[in-house]
């Protein structure tokens, strides 16, 4: 019991930083699909909550350090602005688990001035959607005999 709680906490904290860690590691630790989805969504949303509340302060301190070293209009920044113009809040939230980390996606939304309520809503449905897709996909992949034999 104690080991499973420690495993869940570890997966939760990894999902806080990198979304895909939850759906990959939870089945490997022996957890079911529902538990995997819940832990992954909880990890991402904790990250979203904290960095939405601290986003402006974090961004200001980060920019003070970076301004001296890097130009503002880098190819990466231009791609982010293009994504924002093309898809808006919904697109950034949808792509966050795929391309960005939960922290990165949240900071992008905060940077563009999205309202906190909208950030929470869009990131929540995105987290639930992608956690379900990844968890069910990985669950099906683990049913393949080759992978069953690999895991044991």
């Amino acid at each position: 019991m104690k080991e499973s709680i420690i495993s869940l906490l570890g997966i939760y904290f990894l999902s806080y930083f990198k979304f895909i860690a939850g759906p990959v590691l939870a089945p490997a630790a022996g957890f079911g699909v529902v538990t995997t989805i819940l832990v992954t969504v909880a990890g991402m949303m904790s990250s979203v909550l904290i960095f939405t509340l601290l986003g402006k302060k974090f961004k200001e301190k980060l920019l003070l350090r970076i301004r001296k070293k890097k130009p503002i209009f880098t190819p990466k920044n231009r791609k982010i602005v293009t994504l924002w113009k093309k898809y808006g809040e919904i697109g950034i939230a949808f792509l966050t688990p795929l391309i960005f980390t939960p922290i990165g996606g949240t900071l992008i939304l905060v940077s563009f001035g999205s309202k906190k309520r909208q950030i929470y809503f869009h990131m929540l449905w995105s987290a639930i959607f992608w956690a379900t897709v990844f968890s069910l996909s990985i669950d099906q992949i683990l049913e393949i005999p080759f992978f069953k034999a690999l895991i044991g």
Side-chain angles (χ1 to χ4, degrees):
M1 180 70 176
K2 188 176 181 180
E3 291 175 4
S4 65
I5 292 173
I6 292 171
S7 296
L8 277 175
L9 284 174
I11 293 166
Y12 165 79
F13 283 116
L14 287 171
S15 295
Y16 183 93
F17 296 104
K18 192 68 180 166
F19 184 83
I20 194 70
V24 170
L25 295 176
F31 296 109
V33 174
V34 174
T35 306
T36 302
I37 293 168
L38 291 174
V39 168
T40 305
V41 170
M44 179 171 163
M45 290 311 295
S46 296
S47 173
V48 168
L49 179 70
I50 288 173
F51 281 92
T52 301
L53 297 174
L54 300 176
K56 283 188 179 181
K57 292 178 185 176
F58 183 77
K59 181 185 163 197
E60 288 169 3
K61 287 189 179 191
L62 188 66
L63 282 177
L64 287 176
R65 291 182 185 171
I66 294 177
R67 269 193 193 152
K68 298 174 187 173
K69 300 175 186 175
K70 291 185 181 179
I72 295 174
F73 296 108
T74 63
K76 182 180 177 183
N77 288 347
R78 289 176 197 260
K79 288 178 186 175
I80 291 171
V81 170
T82 303
L83 282 171
W84 176 261
K85 285 181 179 178
K86 200 169 188 178
Y87 303 110
E89 291 175 349
I90 295 170
I92 298 294
F94 184 77
L95 294 173
T96 292
L98 299 174
I99 298 174
F100 312 115
T101 62
I103 296 169
T106 304
L107 290 177
I108 290 169
L109 291 174
V110 168
S111 296
F112 283 105
S114 297
K115 294 180 181 176
K116 290 178 185 175
R117 188 176 211 172
Q118 291 295 327
I119 294 172
Y120 299 144
F121 174 72
H122 291 305
M123 292 299 238
L124 179 62
W125 68 256
S126 176
I128 292 170
F129 174 77
W130 285 114
T132 304
V133 168
F134 288 147
S135 297
L136 292 174
S137 299
I138 290 171
D139 194 48
Q140 291 299 313
I141 289 170
L142 291 177
E143 293 299 317
I144 298 172
F146 172 76
F147 292 109
K148 269 189 177 178
L150 233 125
I151 292 175

